[in-house]
Amino acid sequence: KSHGVKLVRFVGPAPQAARLAQAMRNAAYNPQVYLTTTSTYTKQYAAPAGAGGEGAIIPIDFLPLNAGTTEMKLYRTWLAKVRPGQSPTAEGLFAWSAAKLFTTEALSLGGKLSRKTLVARLRTVTGWTGGGLHVPMAVGAKQVSPCVRFLQLHNGTWISIGGTAYRCSGLTKVS
């Protein structure tokens, strides 16, 4: 605070991110940017952080969990069937995408499905989006996408900031 630090980057679990947000608020320290990770994109962050969590920013490489796309609705529908009351999470979204990838590629092999043929097929996958749930992934190359967009906590709700398009330039400025 006394050194003029304007950006705080926190990587860790939601409860600790919430405690840090509360501590900064209690110390009357309001950095221009409090950048956290998708671990805070849960109720375990927003509610405990309270007013201290307002303005926190997260980079995401997937659709907001409340998006109204067909695939997102399907994910939330099945989540409600198998875990009633469970909120969707980034981890769950990527697990859904991985299951869809496995199923899609396994079915495409038909009668030639084996571990060897499935692994070989997965090595060729590029541009996988899980039905539009996330940025295109180079699954076969095992490369993480450089593309992100941002959400900010506003009145206890995560909202898009800086537009809804993914930025893939490698360096992103959020103002």
Side-chain angles (χ1 to χ4, degrees):
K1 177 177 169 179
S2 63
H3 289 75
V5 174
K6 297 178 181 179
L7 182 142
V8 173
R9 171 74 163 134
F10 180 84
V11 178
Q16 284 74 21
R19 280 187 280 222
L20 177 58
Q22 291 170 338
M24 288 189 298
R25 181 173 171 84
N26 291 341
Y29 173 53
N30 298 305
Q32 285 180 344
V33 177
Y34 178 39
L35 187 65
T36 64
T37 64
T38 56
S39 67
T40 58
Y41 189 26
T42 65
K43 292 177 184 174
Q44 288 78 22
Y45 173 77
E54 284 295 306
I57 297 172
I58 58 171
I60 60 170
D61 57 357
F62 53 90
L63 287 177
L65 298 172
N66 61 352
T69 66
T70 301
E71 195 67 29
M72 187 65 81
K73 288 178 184 175
L74 188 59
Y75 161 57
R76 289 193 309 257
T77 297
W78 277 99
L79 178 61
K81 288 181 182 184
V82 298
R83 288 287 306 267
Q86 176 67 41
S87 297
T89 64
E91 294 82 1
L93 177 142
F94 282 108
W96 178 267
S97 176
K100 183 177 182 81
L101 174 62
F102 174 86
T103 305
T104 300
E105 297 305 322
L107 288 171
S108 75
L109 290 168
K112 297 180 181 177
L113 175 62
S114 69
R115 183 180 192 281
K116 184 178 179 179
T117 59
L118 182 59
V119 169
R121 177 63 61 95
L122 291 173
R123 286 190 178 128
T124 68
V125 175
T126 60
W128 178 258
T129 66
L133 292 176
H134 51 74
V135 298
M137 302 282 181
V139 176
K142 300 179 185 177
Q143 293 176 335
V144 177
S145 173
C147 303
V148 295
R149 60 186 280 196
F150 295 90
L151 299 179
Q152 185 173 41
L153 192 62
H154 181 69
N155 293 328
T157 301
W158 292 101
I159 60 168
S160 293
I161 60 168
T164 58
Y166 294 103
R167 296 182 176 140
C168 305
S169 61
L171 180 62
T172 304
K173 180 180 178 183
V174 177
S175 53

